[in-house]
Amino acid sequence: MIKNEIIMASGNSGKIKEAQEILEQYKIIPMKEIGIEIDVEEDQDTFLGNAIKKAETIAKKLDGKMCLADDSGIEIEYLNGFPGVYTKRWHVGTDRERNLAIIEKMKDVPKEKRKLKFITAMAISDGNNTITSVEYIDGYVAENVRGNNGFGFDEIFELENGKTLAEISNEEKNKLSARKKALESLKNKIQLNNI
């Protein structure tokens, strides 16, 4: 196995940069950069299930190289965990349109019932061995979109302090980041397992 490279099952430059910063002893390579186009259907019933399926499926085609994959999304307590694993697929449109649709679904729901969880599941696999990590942050569904510093659900993810993730600095956000926590947990597990 080539130990100094990790192929990342993502083309998202933010995710790749974050992975490279935390897993600094490896070279993180987006799979498209090496000409790998594998579309793994996310049909599992948990974020972790999808992350494992992607990492293992792609790793098996990489001749022993490690593959890092993730799946993430939100669960709204009042809506029984909706949208969950369908976070990216339940609504066609822009992030803003999807966020407005969620606000509409939560119209007139009081704050204490607007609890929201952002979950990030990560898996790294060489096709035979798989290491996983799941982290999350808690918040509330905001009553309206607020803030310009973010993407995805940041503008409707309200923290305990009343600010949305899109209203705080990158530095503050990095301290809370579920993806960052998941990557740091993976890094520790990789070292412990000597993979």
Side-chain angles (χ1 to χ4, degrees), residues 6-10 12 14-23 28 46-56 67-73 88 118-125 129-136 177-190:
I6 294 175
I7 309 305
M8 190 158 181
S10 174
N12 181 310
K15 286 184 186 181
I16 291 157
K17 183 172 179 278
E18 195 168 36
Q20 186 64 76
E21 284 169 3
I22 294 165
L23 302 171
I28 307 296
T46 64
F47 294 116
L48 183 57
N50 282 329
I52 291 169
K53 184 181 178 187
K54 280 192 277 189
E56 291 181 349
C67 177
L68 173 64
D70 76 308
D71 192 29
S72 58
K88 297 181 187 97
F118 179 83
I119 301 164
T120 293
M122 293 196 142
I124 188 163
S125 179
N129 307 294
T130 303
I131 295 174
T132 63
S133 174
V134 179
E135 294 287 342
Y136 64 90
S177 169
R179 182 174 290 110
K180 184 176 181 185
K181 288 179 195 168
L183 279 164
E184 284 170 346
S185 170
L186 269 188
K187 180 181 180 177
N188 292 335
K189 290 177 182 178
I190 289 167

Side-chain angles (χ1 to χ4, degrees), residues 4 10 38 83 104 145 169 174-175 192:
N4 62 346
S10 174
I38 304 166
E104 187 58 34
V145 296
S169 69
N174 284 342
K175 287 178 185 163
L192 280 172

Side-chain angles (χ1 to χ4, degrees), residues 102-172:
I102 285 174
I103 287 170
E104 187 58 34
K105 279 182 179 289
M106 297 295 285
K107 198 173 179 183
D108 301 324
V109 175
K111 178 165 182 176
E112 66 272 13
K113 292 186 176 178
R114 300 176 76 90
K115 287 183 181 164
L116 172 68
K117 197 180 283 272
F118 179 83
I119 301 164
T120 293
M122 293 196 142
I124 188 163
S125 179
D126 63 5
N128 295 310
N129 307 294
T130 303
I131 295 174
T132 63
S133 174
V134 179
E135 294 287 342
Y136 64 90
I137 55 171
D138 289 309
Y140 299 89
V141 178
E143 290 186 9
N144 45 52
V145 296
R146 297 199 316 271
N148 302 309
N149 185 29
F151 62 93
F153 296 95
D154 289 357
E155 64 187 8
I156 62 164
F157 196 108
E158 190 175 288
L159 302 163
E160 282 291 346
N161 65 10
K163 288 184 176 178
T164 67
L165 285 173
E167 291 181 302
I168 63 175
S169 69
N170 286 336
E171 192 176 56
E172 290 172 292

Side-chain angles (χ1 to χ4, degrees), residues 74 76 79 82-93 95 97-105 153 156:
I74 58 170
I76 300 167
L79 301 176
F82 175 87
V85 290
Y86 302 102
T87 293
K88 297 181 187 97
R89 302 187 293 274
W90 75 274
H91 190 278
V92 177
D95 287 349
E97 288 164 347
R98 189 172 51 193
N99 291 344
L100 290 172
I102 285 174
I103 287 170
E104 187 58 34
K105 279 182 179 289
F153 296 95
I156 62 164

